[in-house]
Amino acid sequence: MELLLDSIFNGIAIGSVLLVAALGLAIVFGLMGVINLAHGELMMLGAYTTYVTQLIFKLPILKPFYNWYVIISIFLAFIVSGVVGIILEKTIIRKLYGSPLETLLATWGVSLILQQFVRSVPLSYGSGLIISLLIGMVLPLFFPTKIKESIKFKYYKLASWSFATLIGILSAELISSLISKLGRASSRNVDVTAPAWMRGQIEILGNTFPKTRLMIIIITLISVIAIICFLNQSAWGIRIRAVTQNRQMCDCLGISTEKVDVITFGIGSGLAGVAGVAVSLLGSVGPNVGGNYIVGCFMVVVLGGVGNLLGTIFASFGIGIMTDLIGAGRLLNIWPNMPLSLSNTINFFATTSMARVMIFALIVIFLQFKPSGLFPQKGRMVES
Amino acid sequence: MSKLIEIKSLNIFYGESHILRDIDLSVKAGEMVCVIGRNGVGKTTLLKSLIGLLKTKSGEINFLGENINRQMPHQRARKGIAYVPQGREIIPYLTVEENLMLGMESLPGGLSKNKKIDDFIYELFPILKEFLSRKGGDLSGGQQQQLSIARALLGEPKLLLLDEPTEGIQPNIILDIESAVTKIILEKGIGVLLVEQHLHFVRQADRYYAMQRGGIVASGDSSELSKEVISKFLSV
Amino acid sequence: MNTKNIKINGRLKFIFWVLLIAFVVAAPSLLPVFRLNLLGRYLSLAIVALGVDLIWGFTGLLSLGQGIFFTLGGYCVAMYLQLNSSSEFPNNIPEFFALYGVKDLPFFWAPFKSLFFTLFAAWLIPALVAAILGFLVFRNRIKGVYFSILTQASLLVFFNFFNGQQKLINGTNGLKTDVTQLFGQMVGSELIQRYFFWITVFLVITAWFFSKWLIKGRFGNILIGIRDDEPRVRFTGYNPVLFKTIIFSIAGALAGISGALYTVQSGIVSPQFMTVPFSIEMVIWVAVGGRGTLLGAILGAVFINYAKSLVSEALPASWMFIQGGLFILVVTTLPQGILGWLYSESPRNLLQRFGFIRKIKTYPSLEINKNGES
Amino acid sequence: MRISRRILAGLATASIATTLTSCGGGSKTSGSFDDSVTVGILHSLSGTMAISESTLVDTEIMAIEEINASGGITIDGKSYKIEYIIEDGASDWPTFAEKSKKLIDQDKVPVVFGGWTSASRKAMLPVYESKDAFLYYPIQYEAQECSNNIFYTGATPNQQSEPATEFMYKRSPAAGGDFFLVGSDYVFPRTSNTITKAQVKQLGGRVVGEDYLPLGNTEVAPIISKIKKALPSGGIIINTLNGDQNVAFFKQIQDAGITPSEGYYVMNYSIAEEEISTIGPEFLEGHYGAWNYMMSIDSPASKKFAANFKKRWGSDRVVADPQESAYNMVYLWKQAVEDAGTFDDNAVRDALIGQKFDAPQGPVEVMPNHHLSQTVRIGEINSEGGFTILEETDVVLPQAWNQKHPSSKGFACDWTDPSKGEKYRL
Amino acid sequence: MKSDTENLLSLVDVTVNFEGFLALNNLNLKIKRGELRAIIGPNGAGKTTFLDVITGKVKPTKGQVIFKEISLIGRKEHKIARLGVGRKFQSPRVFENLSVQENLELSVSSPKSPLHLLKKNIIKDQLEEVFQLMKVVNLTKKNDIKAGALSHGQKQWLEIAMLLGQKPDLMLVDEPVAGLTDEETDLTADLLKSLAGKNTVLIIDHDMDFIRRLDCKVTVLNQGAVLFEGNMDTIQNNQKVIDVYLGRPD
């Protein structure tokens, strides 16, 4: 029993990372049918955002608030990855709706470019670019309706973009002069250090539990609840769900489907950014950080059943617990007197390497029996 | 009466094939106009091009005196055109209530600001009130049709485009729908452009246009809709 | 007008072929050894690209796991070569075993002592693995992106397995072939490499004709049918699972052959061939060259790889940008690929049947307008 | 227009690699040479390994520039300037083989300095053997290899892990404790741990567990739970994880209470100053490392090496053991060429053995088995991000074939004696 | 079993339950050999599910489907097709990227094994059959044109021709005249009528004129069960049918 509890704790710890990483993907894949292979790179941007935020909070003025930089970086990461996601949607994804395989290939290209981008461009300029994009996109929204409807709107837009560019350059300058580390390109991995109150462990039910993992679970829970509330309660939630099911009709009803697409993709991408914060607390931050998660994320989404958040939750914790059970060879402890051949097999897979093999193999086998995952969409509507 | 919508020599292509040719048509406020014709003559295409789902190749679509040729469907919807498509197209996984709320998206402020469903809908279609929390996809065909019309009406449109609202629907519900449509025209003074094969309904219209092979070949008052005209253009 | 176009097209094609053949024949004497070796390797990649084209371009199955079969083929020949040259090592087993304290040859190595067996195994084993994997997936009607994701997951299973099994197949390090012996010669020697080049050229052409033959007749039509409307195929009385399994396994066999040739020419096979990017790259070659056009697959594989090697020599960091950009460009603006796009310029062309050309859409019951002036 | 210049500068630094390659040979000195010789440098400039390997490129360039500044290579009174071609191995082992072929066949370089991972070396080895070319490889590795075509300037296990294991078992605060072995899943950790297991057994200790993390995977939770199960109250952890996996490992073991204050001591074989600064000393303080060179060595040669490097590449840069090895190998090649009086491979190979060099770590000498005799140091990681050197051995001779590993016990390598060669029984 | 020999197809108590929604509800139906049968019913009456059950696309929750004295339950679609059940879909489904002739070759080819198809040329008899079929549906001149370029009506006819090419014992035809002109509708009706006797044909459609022209036994489905069976005249006068489906005669 104690062993099992132990496994469940470990499994939840592992699964929460998978869940937070897969959440954004589940939305983009489930609601829009877009296979976003750049999801991992959007996570990477979130992780780098955490790093930059950390350095900025080390500046003398902000030093008193250093302990809270992680909280701030969650919001910033959401915005940064969200902005990049929106740009992606507006430039590339938009052309490819309805052909998921094409989105898969195009976003792979995007992921290559993003990876190389953070290797080659100093973080300060990257931040400046993001700031420009953000201002350029947001500013026109605040223009009075009169300007928005006038023919000269495009000139106003141009002006606001130039302004945004200027601000971007200035802030890049500012960052690189304040923090020289950010002013240079580096392919070296960097590291985020959690503030002291988030390090160490606490005791729950007689088990010790690392605080960072707990933090990740909290971030994940908040994200999940926020997303569920957003989708079910808000006006945009209704619009998003409606457009997912019948795009043309929604357009005819007066919903701007373009806006819905942008928002949906932006939120999915933003969640990737949040996942990036979580991941940065556990390991190092580098160009490949997201790539390590992407296939696992897809397995979670497919295993849970596409378009089903509940399934995503179950799948990630399920995979987490299985990883612990297999990887740590716990079955042997639970059932010590098993036949030799079986225990040999279990021992063979009781390494982290082989556990990964086993988990993926099990998922592939599981999908043999339930091809549409744990919680398939069902009912007569599927038939039509 | 002013013209609600006026179409002048409209031409529509599907890929390389010419679907609508030189269509001239108009609907006034408070008027029910019916388009008749066999399957595939382009009636649905006509409605789709009016709501903006198809691009206009040449010609003009004027709504309330403004050219809306280049506007997107959602922009046209917000101007006051509501579309009830063939096959209802309600949103299956949304509840009936949410489906109805979607109808109010074309009001100023959209559904973020309009959440209360007007009671007149329940007077027209009492069944909807019972099923508010049901999934739209679980309703029967006739109920879905009522939902679809109700949804369109909630946007307080000036022009209602109805595409074969009686197709494949039980006769008793057809009557409900017919009376509801006539009632709203009377009460709200909106214009209705109806594509219909069901003769009983067609006869309720004020005017008709008959289509053949992508063009309008006859038009006039519904009272003039003689047996010959019907057998010539409709094979019911 | 049209006929004229076709004639010009035909002449262009003829010139193209003459130039191509001339180049291939002259290559060994024109190119320095290193470049020739590269060309040989890239040509061998063209074979796996043909397989990808068969399953993706024609049958609509986007596999992101072709690396599995490619690598399996490579391991087969590498195992033979290692065994063939391990007589001087302790216990007469390949050198690396000693590192991990292995004294007895693992059982599955034994058959690879035979050249005859190896020549079959290099394509038969990948084909079998593909058939099993494919059957399991297709049987459950898993298709589209789910198929892609599953093949990618399978790729990871194999990658992790090969990477983690030092005692069986030398793990991450892989198996080297350059210093092994074949017919008394060192495999890495110029002489043997030259032979491999010719074998590769021969096999590419063979694979090409084989693929052409496959897709030309009714068999190919069924594949296209499966791609466009699988239920219809089923209701017509064909078993799509069988056809898909067959074509997937053929693509697996091609990948195996390709991997074997690639291995002997690059001197090593390692789990590195089973990383996710490499398998996606295979798809890119086909996408860029032109899916649904066999020649496009071959040219795409050769040219992109050559470009990669040239660009990365000059500007190592920029290749990722170029590759990523190429991807996005092809997918968003040239969905038929370069060759497909070139072909589509000619009005009546054969490739129309493969569906990468703008379809003429009609609306129900309206005939295409014969006097469609307006 | 200060701003735009800054941006340009930013973009320029953006691709150090780009600039380097397109420049071909970096010619800082305008001194007159009679001729030039082009050598090959082959490391990963892109992909996962670029992080580590680019520092080696920097060091090798610095060494070449130093040599050129002092007059280049002199053969028969004729002075040669060293030029270099940099190729990108792209963190992909087969690419290393491909690029080696290019350097040898196309560019016809007399020597290639390159490689980092064992897998990349294993991939290149057949190329150099089949073409009878010469590779200089600068990283500490698992040994069990002795090629006539490779010159290894990094430590063999008996020059790093063996003294370290002994230290941990006999003299560390956890002396006498149980061992747990953690590593990335590839050949170096696996082999190194096989040796460690044999050694611990000899010493009378116990290895209570080992686990390997697949490369690229950073989920270390299962390993941590294994460690806590196997070492409930502290012990010795031998860590051979690779690169960024270390970051995840140290962050998370600290969170899980696996710290020196709880009685857990980690001995690291792949964490040098560079890595400490990335991971953060707060996670590593109190753990150990074993190297031949540590930046904190208080000798003029060491200080000069570090100072020169900072001067050439930036004041915040650090030097570490792999860089020192890379530095040494360029100088040793120069000396061997000058001794041989020719760039010819075989002559240089003969001349190489017995070369001595006053390296930053102290004197080193090339042994007949193509490895270096070196000094081994055990250090404790301090809060400044460096090592506090606790122990320093005498010069240790390299064992290409490890004497504790069951498969190679009793074997050695000697290329000076034709009857002995790659592997002979002692 | 003996009594069943005259029935080519019989459905016994077939129920299909989609998560609580009864698409078919204890449906019982028998079709004789050589019979021409029309099926009508309001939307959602279960007509398409009924075809799905016969062709193996949907597995019934309970009940039996017997075809030529063989149970079809649990068989794969292609196996059922090979047993002799052919199906034409509601909206025409032909292989748009293949030519008319290639489409027909695929349906005519037999046996349907991969090895057989790899043989380069189609058997001569079968090729003649293809040309025969093209003549029947008036597509001879368009044999080289990709099916995707055909008009809607031509696609409908091509699909019917493909169905004929399969030489099924039972033809299931779903809305064959949707979107056809009057003339085409009449021709289709005649064609289908001519097939009866030799083949067993089951037609689903909305178009009452077309059904009347078929002049056959009509089954009315409602809410997943048979509401009424009879010829067109009796149906038109049946109060139940009028209530749920036909409405008041105009």
Side-chain angles (χ1 to χ4, degrees), chain A residues 46-287:
Chain A
Y48 271 103
T49 308
T50 320
Y51 173 70
V52 173
T53 318
Q54 180 194 14
L55 289 187
I56 290 176
F57 272 79
K58 277 184 178 162
L59 290 173
I61 329 170
L62 293 169
K63 194 88 192 187
F65 309 102
Y66 179 77
N67 270 334
W68 304 105
Y69 85 86
V70 176
I71 311 289
I72 306 289
S73 62
I74 291 174
F75 291 101
L76 289 179
F78 185 87
I79 293 171
V80 168
S81 300
V83 165
V84 174
I86 287 173
I87 303 277
L88 263 185
E89 200 279 337
K90 288 193 167 197
T91 49
I92 298 165
I93 310 284
R94 176 162 297 179
K95 297 181 183 170
L96 304 173
Y97 283 123
S99 39
L101 291 177
E102 255 87 72
T103 60
L104 184 153
L105 295 177
T107 50
W108 173 254
V110 172
S111 81
L112 292 183
I113 290 177
L114 282 178
Q115 272 186 31
Q116 193 57 44
F117 184 85
V118 296
R119 281 199 192 102
S120 311
V121 177
L123 282 173
S124 59
Y125 292 98
S127 322
L129 184 65
I130 300 273
I131 292 172
S132 304
L133 291 174
L134 185 65
I135 296 177
M137 273 175 0
V138 171
L139 203 58
L141 299 181
F142 290 104
F143 287 171
T145 343
K146 222 177 169 184
I147 295 180
K148 268 189 201 165
E149 279 168 5
S150 79
I151 317 160
K152 286 183 182 160
F153 183 45
K154 55 182 174 200
Y155 297 111
Y156 283 99
K157 250 187 157 171
L158 195 68
S160 79
W161 274 106
S162 335
F163 173 72
T165 315
L166 190 72
I167 297 286
I169 292 171
L170 285 176
S171 43
E173 272 310 299
L174 187 73
I175 294 173
S176 56
S177 61
L178 286 176
I179 308 162
S180 60
K181 254 190 200 171
L182 294 180
R184 282 191 309 269
S186 166
S187 53
R188 227 164 295 255
N189 280 19
V190 293
D191 178 46
V192 167
T193 312
W197 62 272
M198 277 175 60
R199 307 219 300 260
Q201 48 185 350
I202 57 169
E203 236 184 76
I204 303 169
L205 294 175
N207 270 275
T208 53
F209 205 77
K211 281 184 189 166
T212 37
R213 296 269 179 176
L214 194 67
M215 184 72 189
I216 290 173
I217 291 175
I218 293 171
I219 297 176
T220 313
L221 270 181
I222 294 175
S223 313
V224 170
I225 292 169
I227 283 304
I228 289 177
C229 286
F230 176 78
L231 284 180
N232 285 328
Q233 309 291 327
S234 76
W236 278 110
I238 295 179
R239 292 189 187 109
I240 289 172
R241 281 183 294 145
V243 169
T244 306
Q245 294 168 53
N246 192 338
R247 167 174 298 269
Q248 272 203 345
M249 193 57 223
C250 286
D251 199 359
C252 295
L253 285 170
I255 298 175
S256 165
T257 50
E258 282 186 11
K259 254 188 208 166
V260 169
D261 291 336
V262 164
I263 286 177
T264 315
F265 200 82
I267 287 173
S269 309
L271 284 174
V274 175
V277 179
V279 166
S280 75
L281 294 174
L282 293 177
S284 73
V285 177

Side-chain angles (χ1 to χ4, degrees), chain D residues 30 37-38 73 113 151 153 164 166 186 212 236 248 260 342 374 406:
Chain D
S30 51
V37 60
T38 305
I73 297 180
F113 303 112
F151 171 40
T153 60
E166 198 184 307
Y186 70 104
Y212 299 91
I236 302 161
T342 168
Q374 325 203 47

Side-chain angles (χ1 to χ4, degrees), chain B:
Chain B
M1 271 195 291
S2 64
K3 278 176 185 163
L4 211 48
I5 193 162
E6 188 171 23
I7 304 159
K8 288 181 194 154
S9 53
L10 179 72
N11 282 285
I12 303 279
F13 283 74
Y14 241 36
E16 283 161 23
S17 53
H18 198 170
I19 306 293
L20 292 186
R21 294 169 220 195
D22 292 328
I23 301 277
D24 289 304
L25 179 151
S26 67
V27 181
K28 297 192 192 95
E31 183 185 42
M32 174 143 104
V33 175
C34 187
V35 179
I36 57 172
R38 287 195 201 96
N39 269 338
V41 294
K43 296 171 307 216
T44 298
T45 309
L46 175 64
L47 292 197
K48 280 190 176 172
S49 66
L50 292 186
I51 188 67
L53 287 175
L54 294 173
K55 262 193 201 142
T56 307
K57 174 99 177 179
S58 71
E60 270 180 45
I61 304 172
N62 290 318
F63 184 67
L64 296 171
E66 183 194 357
N67 185 320
I68 55 166
N69 273 17
R70 309 190 69 184
Q71 291 191 348
M72 301 281 292
H74 65 266
Q75 290 166 318
R76 300 188 194 196
R78 288 176 192 179
K79 289 240 149 64
I81 304 179
Y83 175 50
V84 178
Q86 202 173 11
R88 282 88 65 178
E89 314 231 350
I90 50 107
I91 316 293
Y93 284 100
L94 256 51
T95 62
V96 170
E97 188 177 11
E98 285 167 333
N99 265 291
L100 288 172
M101 281 164 73
L102 282 179
M104 297 189 286
E105 176 75 3
S106 56
L107 295 175
L111 70 114
S112 322
K113 291 204 178 126
N114 305 282
K115 290 209 164 98
K116 175 86 186 65
I117 294 160
D118 201 324
D119 279 339
F120 87 90
I121 290 298
Y122 303 137
E123 284 164 27
L124 282 178
F125 306 111
I127 192 94
L128 294 180
K129 190 159 192 175
E130 288 171 39
F131 288 157
L132 272 185
S133 55
R134 278 236 208 154
K135 289 264 188 314
D138 290 340
L139 299 186
S140 74
Q143 290 160 348
Q144 287 187 1
Q145 187 63 269
Q146 295 178 345
L147 174 59
S148 182
I149 294 173
R151 183 178 63 182
L153 291 177
L154 277 170
E156 295 173 16
K158 301 187 178 73
L159 175 68
L160 183 62
L161 308 175
L162 281 174
D163 197 350
E164 307 223 10
T166 62
E167 189 204 29
I169 286 178
Q170 299 172 29
N172 47 348
I173 297 188
I174 294 182
L175 288 181
D176 288 353
I177 291 173
E178 274 181 31
S179 63
V181 170
T182 23
K183 195 173 162 197
I184 31 177
I185 294 176
L186 276 177
E187 279 179 13
K188 312 240 158 185
I190 66 175
V192 173
L193 184 61
L194 173 73
V195 166
E196 187 52 78
Q197 306 242 19
H198 195 80
L199 263 189
H200 185 266
F201 205 167
V202 172
R203 290 199 194 281
Q204 317 247 324
D206 300 305
R207 288 189 295 124
Y208 78 92
Y209 291 92
M211 286 182 72
Q212 209 168 37
R213 307 207 79 217
I216 287 178
V217 286
S219 64
D221 281 352
S222 295
S223 52
E224 300 162 13
L225 210 53
S226 62
K227 275 239 155 88
E228 294 105 78
V229 176
I230 291 170
S231 66
K232 195 168 168 199
F233 302 120
L234 265 173
S235 58
V236 179

Side-chain angles (χ1 to χ4, degrees), chain A residues 3 6 10 13-14 17 116 119-122 125 169-170 173 176-177 181 183-185 187-194 198-201 208-213 279-284 287-288 292-293 323-324 327-330 333 350-353 356, chain D residues 2-3 6-8 10-11 13-16 45-48 50-51 54-55 58 185 190 210-223 225-226 228-229 244-245 247-249 251-252 254-258 274 277-280 282-283 316-317:
Chain A
L3 280 168
D6 210 29
N10 277 312
I14 299 169
V17 182
Q116 193 57 44
R119 281 199 192 102
S120 311
V121 177
Y125 292 98
I169 292 171
L170 285 176
E173 272 310 299
S176 56
S177 61
K181 254 190 200 171
R184 282 191 309 269
S187 53
R188 227 164 295 255
N189 280 19
V190 293
D191 178 46
V192 167
T193 312
M198 277 175 60
R199 307 219 300 260
Q201 48 185 350
T208 53
F209 205 77
K211 281 184 189 166
T212 37
R213 296 269 179 176
V279 166
S280 75
L281 294 174
L282 293 177
S284 73
N288 306 304
N292 297 334
Y293 286 89
T323 308
D324 190 69
R330 275 182 209 276
N333 304 334
T351 65
T352 313
S353 271
R356 236 166 111 91
Chain D
R2 189 177 138 267
I3 288 168
R6 269 283 200 106
I7 293 174
L8 282 179
L11 286 176
T13 35
S15 44
I16 303 177
L45 299 171
S46 57
T48 43
I51 301 156
S54 54
T55 63
D58 295 348
D185 199 358
R190 292 236 179 213
E210 61 180 317
D211 200 4
Y212 299 91
L213 200 58
L215 286 168
N217 187 350
T218 49
E219 182 52 271
V220 293
I223 291 187
S225 69
K226 274 188 189 172
K228 289 181 93 169
K229 212 167 73 184
D244 52 349
Q245 292 182 320
V247 182
F249 181 69
K251 271 185 179 176
Q252 295 183 41
Q254 197 181 57
D255 282 345
I258 300 176
E274 186 82 36
S277 75
T278 311
I279 302 169
E282 65 268 38
F283 292 105
D316 59 334
R317 295 292 296 272

